[in-house]
Amino acid sequence: MLRIGCHLSASKGYLHMAKEALSIGANTFQFFTRNPRGGTAKAMDEADVAAFRDFAAENGIGVILAHAPYTLNGCSAEASIREFAARTMLDDLHRMEYTPGNLYNFHPGSHVKQGVETGIELIAQMLNSILWQDMHTTVLLETMAGKGSEVGGSFEELRAIIDRVALQDKLGVCLDTCHVSDAGYDIVNDLDGVLTRFDNIVGLERIKAVHINDSKNPLGARKDRHEKIGQGTIGTEAIVRLMTHPALRDKPFYLETPNELDGYAAEIALLKEKWS
Ligand code: FE
Ligand code: FE
Ligand code: ZN
């Protein structure tokens, strides 16, 4: 069964997102835990969460993906910025306990002149400070485009972070098609080669979610500008090959393309048709 959805606004709550997902042919969705630029999260609405859980069970909505604010930087040179990232993520993870068994994705961070080794060490330290044994969420490191001093643009960097974390069974990876292409991994012409490399370095079983995006820029551009499916340098056929690859076809897929709801509905319909 194809598990596919897109990024939705969380402003009207969980039940609203589930209904919206269903209305566009999706059976999962991604959302920001709070304003994508950071800031405080709304208090958890337990009635909404309970209604969401019933609705999701009745309608086959599964494995939802929460996305951390993208401005957090757990490997900043400034302790106060690192502490803010850790505090925010820990708060998010406590909130995620209301919807156990789901996924929480974050951008590893930018080391800003400290060097990638220091960045890796600080990210691992943060994860070690916030993960706990009995948590019910899997925390995903997103594969990054490698723009600026972003950590996580190579599979080796993701592996190095995971290696330094004590509770490794709480960790996974979210593979972003635009990001890996921008980082120089040729998923268009050498998908098998890229996945073999990922398997050798990180392990394909670590992939718990896939962000499905076309890219505005060519292979290796290190830009991170998402494009609509079929309108970028990756193309529909390469995306469908990735989504139907035996190593990935059972993973949940989330569109983060520049679309409104009707555009997402059209992309979901197209990918469902091609996937079957
Ligand atoms: Fe992301
Ligand atoms: Fe992404
Ligand atoms: Zn991106």
Side-chain angles (χ1 to χ4, degrees), residues 30 32 67-68 70 105-107 142 144 174 176 179 211 224 226 256:
Q30 173 179 270
F32 283 124
H67 196 306
Y70 49 71
N105 175 62
F106 78 108
H107 295 180
E142 183 164 354
M144 300 309 294
C174 176
D176 185 307
H179 297 179
H211 283 163
D224 190 1
H226 302 189
E256 308 178 297

Side-chain angles (χ1 to χ4, degrees), residues 172-187:
V173 169
C174 176
L175 185 88
D176 185 307
T177 55
C178 168
H179 297 179
V180 290
S181 176
D182 277 27
Y185 294 104
D186 191 354
I187 54 173

Side-chain angles (χ1 to χ4, degrees), residues 141-153:
L141 298 154
E142 183 164 354
T143 60
M144 300 309 294
K147 91 172 131 47
S149 65
E150 266 176 3
V151 182

